[in-house]
Amino acid sequence: MPAISRIQARQFVLAKQGLLGEHRFIGKDGAYTYVRQAGCLQYDPVDVCGKNAELTLQSRVKGFRKQMLDDLLYKDRLLVDYTDKELSIWPSEDWPYFSGYRQRSMEHGCKFEGIPELERKAIEYIRENGPVSSDSLPIEGKVFWHSSMHWSGNWHTESKAARSVLEQLYTDGVLLIHHKSGSRKFYDLAERYLSPELLSAPNPCADEDSFTDWRVLRRIGAVGMMWNRRSDAWLGIEMTSQSREESFERLQRNGEITGIEVDGIRFPLYILSADMPMMEAVINGQADTKPRLEFLAPLDPMLWDRKLIEALWDFRYSWEIYTPAAKRQYGYYTLPIIYGDRFIGRIEPRADRKTGTLTVNGLWMEPGVKKTKKLSGRIDAAVRRLARFNGCGYQND
């Protein structure tokens, strides 16, 4: 098992993420390439200075604009909105892998009285009239139902019938999100946007163990380096500690992951075996380690395992959006700041679209980080990029 220093581990993760050295991901093609590498990006509708998925791409993809993600989702149809690690964005080409999930969703929906008949009405209306939202679908009343995105528990609540039937058909895979207007979703038939070959393709995974292995492998690739421990990085994957252990054993036995010893960390970390050339470049001092300064999204794939970040970087990050204001240590929507191979602080930018101005509500440097003239210039340049990304000017208070 190769042994490396913590600095080398940091450099590998950052190189894999495209956050160190010259940009590996450029333009719309680069955005798509990164999503394929990560497997999925978490979607969150909160837009303080860009939504989570947009900020994730903005930090890595040179020349990225919000419209590029919108085009990949709703024009090119290379990406889809669907559940994975919570509600996510992932490549359409992965559609066949989730056939078992969609089948369970269909079985789940049939258990609720009235849902099958409402589904038939909704499909007929959409086929004749095109994309709809829950406000424009002419189905009245309420039903007792809960989303099959939440498999645990048998509870169900009374909810708006139009919204319920659209969400059920969406998790069944019958509908896709056609577009979004703010946080409102408009749905249309999947068959209009995904090819018949893709829709009917068999699941590449022969059984549930194979599906678990595929997802674990994908999450390791998303973070860059993972340990075989309980982690938020595994959210959305139905597995126990034992099944995770078994999955890691199979992936190692098949040569798909490689264990790495990192100085000062008790547990072995694992990378994709396909990434060993990148790891060797870091170990041999041949990797591009030119420093960049970037702001990371709160749900950035690199941050999915906060304990691992703390172990590798001695940086503790908590997203305080749901923390009562009086109990926040920093701010409502703070973004970690990475500079070179270090976390140097966090920042709270806010875009005011009415005035077209981006302001910085707070800037907190990590202990031992000196805010030199050079560093201040780097931070200021990154804020200005973020302002342009949001179509704003920058108000430097």
Side-chain angles (χ1 to χ4, degrees):
M1 185 179 291
I4 62 174
S5 68
R6 283 207 303 167
I7 290 178
Q8 289 172 324
R10 295 174 188 174
Q11 290 177 343
F12 168 79
V13 171
L14 290 164
K16 170 76 174 178
Q17 292 289 344
L19 291 165
L20 193 64
E22 294 296 327
H23 284 84
R24 290 176 48 220
F25 306 105
I26 300 172
K28 189 167 78 168
D29 288 345
Y32 177 59
T33 299
Y34 177 73
V35 178
R36 292 187 74 201
Q37 172 180 295
C40 73
L41 300 185
Q42 280 185 261
Y43 173 78
D44 187 87
V46 176
D47 189 353
V48 175
C49 54
K51 298 184 181 74
N52 181 76
E54 296 168 343
L55 291 171
T56 298
L57 294 169
Q58 189 268 344
S59 65
R60 293 162 169 80
V61 181
K62 187 175 183 179
F64 177 74
R65 300 187 307 277
K66 295 178 183 182
Q67 187 61 44
M68 293 177 181
L69 181 57
D70 203 65
D71 285 350
L72 287 166
L73 280 163
Y74 310 124
K75 181 180 176 182
D76 306 324
R77 297 289 169 178
L78 291 172
L79 303 177
V80 294
D81 304 273
Y82 199 70
T83 188
D84 188 353
K85 188 180 185 293
E86 311 294 353
L87 185 57
S88 298
I89 293 168
W90 42 263
S92 302
E93 65 186 3
D94 290 344
W95 186 261
Y97 286 92
F98 290 88
S99 61
Y101 187 100
R102 294 190 295 274
Q103 181 61 39
R104 290 195 298 274
S105 175
M106 291 178 186
E107 295 168 357
H108 170 92
C110 289
K111 296 177 183 177
F112 293 98
E113 185 177 353
I115 287 290
E117 178 59 29
L118 291 178
E119 287 181 328
R120 286 190 287 274
K121 289 182 179 179
I123 292 170
E124 181 180 345
Y125 182 84
I126 294 169
R127 196 176 300 283
E128 292 181 3
N129 297 277
V132 297
S133 70
S134 59
D135 289 335
S136 62
L137 180 66
I139 290 179
E140 303 296 332
K142 295 185 177 182
V143 294
F144 283 92
W145 174 88
H146 77 88
S147 171
S148 54
M149 285 189 180
H150 307 289
W151 294 109
S152 60
N154 295 316
W155 57 269
H156 54 277
T157 58
E158 190 177 54
S159 59
K160 184 178 176 182
R163 176 179 175 272
S164 299
V165 71
L166 288 175
E167 288 196 14
Q168 182 64 51
L169 287 168
Y170 166 64
T171 53
D172 290 351
V174 175
L175 301 182
L176 290 180
I177 293 177
H178 178 268
H179 71 281
K180 292 174 184 168
S181 178
S183 59
R184 180 169 296 176
K185 293 171 285 197
F186 289 77
Y187 300 88
D188 202 352
L189 298 171
E191 65 190 34
R192 289 175 169 163
Y193 305 98
L194 300 182
S195 70
E197 293 77 19
L198 188 63
L199 289 172
S200 63
N203 192 328
C205 299
D207 50 37
E208 283 300 314
D209 284 347
S210 298
F211 184 47
T212 298
D213 292 351
W214 177 76
R215 300 188 80 186
V216 168
L217 196 68
R218 205 164 70 135
R219 297 292 173 87
I220 294 172
V223 178
M225 178 179 282
M226 280 294 297
W227 45 22
N228 182 7
R229 302 184 68 195
R230 183 177 179 179
S231 168
D232 283 350
W234 311 126
L235 283 175
I237 304 177
E238 298 174 59
M239 62 180 180
T240 63
S241 295
Q242 181 178 343
S243 60
R244 189 186 68 242
E245 292 278 354
E246 292 169 352
S247 179
F248 268 76
E249 288 176 6
R250 288 192 296 269
L251 290 170
Q252 279 187 283
R253 187 168 59 247
N254 295 337
E256 295 182 88
I257 60 174
T258 298
I260 305 287
E261 290 184 0
V262 179
D263 183 44
I265 296 183
R266 289 174 48 203
F267 304 95
L269 299 180
Y270 296 86
I271 68 172
L272 304 183
S273 296
D275 288 336
M276 274 305 296
M278 185 180 291
M279 175 63 78
E280 289 166 357
V282 169
I283 294 172
N284 297 331
Q286 298 173 338
D288 181 359
T289 58
K290 181 180 177 181
R292 294 207 331 253
L293 189 146
E294 304 288 356
F295 305 147
L296 300 189
L299 300 174
D300 190 290
M302 184 174 147
L303 302 176
W304 284 351
D305 191 321
R306 305 283 170 81
K307 290 183 179 179
L308 179 59
I309 290 294
E310 188 174 354
L312 288 176
W313 271 275
D314 296 318
F315 180 77
R316 185 175 296 178
Y317 176 69
S318 176
W319 191 26
E320 297 181 307
I321 190 169
Y322 300 115
T323 303
K327 296 183 178 181
R328 289 179 192 139
Q329 185 177 1
Y330 300 102
Y332 171 80
Y333 206 85
T334 56
L335 310 180
I337 307 173
I338 195 96
Y339 182 36
D341 60 13
R342 297 179 63 192
F343 282 97
I344 62 165
R346 59 205 85 201
I347 190 168
E348 187 185 18
R350 181 176 292 271
D352 186 333
R353 272 86 184 190
K354 291 182 180 179
T355 63
T357 302
L358 185 136
T359 57
V360 173
N361 292 345
L363 176 64
W364 302 266
M365 309 309 293
E366 285 294 282
V369 176
K370 294 182 179 180
K371 196 178 176 188
T372 63
K373 184 176 180 180
K374 179 181 178 182
L375 179 56
S376 295
R378 290 268 193 160
I379 294 172
D380 192 65
V383 173
R384 291 183 186 280
R385 289 199 307 272
L386 186 63
R388 290 193 297 271
F389 178 69
N390 282 282
C392 293
Y394 170 36
Q395 180 179 318
N396 190 344
D397 294 329

